[in-house]
Amino acid sequence: MNETAEFVQFAINQWREKRDAAFREHNLNVEEVYAKGEFESLPPECLMAVCYVDAYACVQAKIRSDTV
């Protein structure tokens, strides 16, 4: 795995931890929010973490598709 892919995986893990902590802090369930797609009513720190996880996941998918 190259350095970029390693960094992206590290970033995803970090933002997932931040997302999960923010959701717990606000008594929210990550799976329920994703299943319902109700992101517009999330507290800012939850929404930001969700966006970063999704953004890095898109980068990871692109890296993987380029290496196949």
Side-chain angles (χ1 to χ4, degrees):
M1 190 180 296
N2 67 36
E3 289 181 19
T4 302
E6 289 175 5
F7 170 78
V8 170
Q9 185 58 56
F10 173 79
I12 289 171
N13 292 339
Q14 292 297 305
W15 279 105
R16 282 181 179 155
E17 289 177 18
K18 291 179 182 187
R19 177 199 62 195
D20 294 347
F23 272 65
R24 278 192 306 275
E25 184 178 319
H26 292 280
N27 297 314
L28 296 169
N29 183 297
V30 173
E31 289 80 21
E32 287 178 12
V33 170
Y34 273 87
K36 293 178 181 177
E38 296 178 354
F39 301 104
E40 65 277 350
S41 61
L42 288 176
E45 59 272 17
C46 294
L47 182 58
M48 181 176 69
V50 165
C51 290
Y52 272 102
V53 169
D54 290 348
Y56 279 114
C58 288
V59 172
Q60 185 178 57
K62 176 65 176 157
I63 290 170
R64 288 179 177 169
S65 72
D66 288 346
T67 58
V68 174

